[in-house]
Amino acid sequence: MSLSSRAFGRAELPRVFSLIHRNPRLFWGWLCFASRLMPWGRLPAPVREKIILRVAWNCRSRYEWAQHLEIALRIGVRDDEIVATTLFEDSIEVEHDRLLMRACDQLRQCKLIDETTWEALSRSYSDKEMIELVMLTGHYEMIAGVLINSGIEVEPAIEDVIQAFFRRLS
């Protein structure tokens, strides 16, 4: 478990691991699957983190949003790009980000990315990456449900990151 913590660049193991490990039969399979999406997925890391942030925002999963805020910042996603993951689609200035957020929203609402959005994203991503995008979105929606229902609290070090982020925005 401590190796997992180091893989995320953290001194403290994220609480999500001990939460899901309460059911060891599910934990190891989940960890293997989840690691294929993050951190060892094929989508570019900034794209992956924007998608996860949008899912967390849509689901109102503060824990998930906080964890991935820290990761997004660490890999170089800018504050304005992070803020864009929380906006209504029409307010997102960067067309590619608007398409990604639209895909996340469509998957959340009806589990289907419309043909226009799929075709537009397919110009930037391979078939394998498009499948990963859909699976990443679904996986983090599932995890958001687990986290919300558990009442898990954000680790103090990650809470500090959230507060620093909000101070920069104000």
Side-chain angles (χ1 to χ4, degrees):
M1 296 283 282
S2 62
L3 290 175
S4 297
S5 181
R6 284 189 219 121
F8 287 95
R10 307 242 174 100
E12 180 184 6
L13 183 68
R15 292 176 179 161
V16 64
F17 291 104
S18 57
L19 170 69
I20 297 175
H21 194 261
R22 292 177 190 172
N23 186 333
R25 187 178 70 77
L26 294 178
F27 176 79
W28 294 107
W30 166 77
L31 188 61
C32 181
F33 173 74
S35 69
R36 299 291 183 191
L37 298 170
M38 192 274 161
W40 295 295
R42 298 293 184 235
L43 290 169
V47 168
R48 177 195 71 220
E49 292 308 317
K50 289 175 191 180
I51 290 168
I52 296 170
L53 286 167
R54 182 61 163 216
V55 170
W57 183 262
N58 282 344
C59 293
R60 301 302 189 253
S61 176
R62 186 175 192 276
Y63 182 91
E64 185 170 68
W65 194 84
Q67 292 294 322
H68 289 277
L69 168 67
E70 190 275 335
I71 294 167
L73 290 169
R74 188 165 15 102
I75 64 167
V77 179
R78 296 185 323 266
D79 290 354
D80 64 310
E81 293 175 295
I82 292 168
V83 169
T85 69
T86 70
L87 300 175
F88 289 111
E89 178 188 323
D90 294 342
S91 302
I92 301 170
E93 293 180 15
V94 178
E95 181 181 356
H96 186 75
D97 287 352
R98 190 169 45 252
L99 283 169
L100 287 171
M101 300 307 104
R102 180 182 304 146
C104 290
D105 294 351
Q106 289 174 350
L107 286 166
R108 171 94 169 130
Q109 292 164 1
C110 62
K111 308 298 180 233
L112 178 68
I113 299 173
D114 70 34
E115 189 174 329
T116 304
T117 305
W118 186 276
E119 286 177 12
L121 286 170
S122 292
R123 290 185 208 117
S124 299
Y125 302 105
S126 69
D127 289 344
K128 289 179 183 178
E129 290 170 321
M130 290 298 293
I131 292 168
E132 187 170 319
L133 186 154
V134 173
M135 293 184 83
L136 179 74
T137 303
H139 173 259
Y140 277 90
E141 190 171 322
M142 175 192 72
I143 292 300
V146 172
L147 295 168
I148 292 165
N149 283 285
S150 75
I152 192 171
E153 292 188 21
V154 175
E155 295 85 359
I158 302 300
E159 186 64 43
D160 292 344
V161 171
I162 296 171
Q163 297 310 316
F165 176 74
F166 287 136
R167 279 193 300 277
R168 282 195 308 279
L169 297 180
S170 46

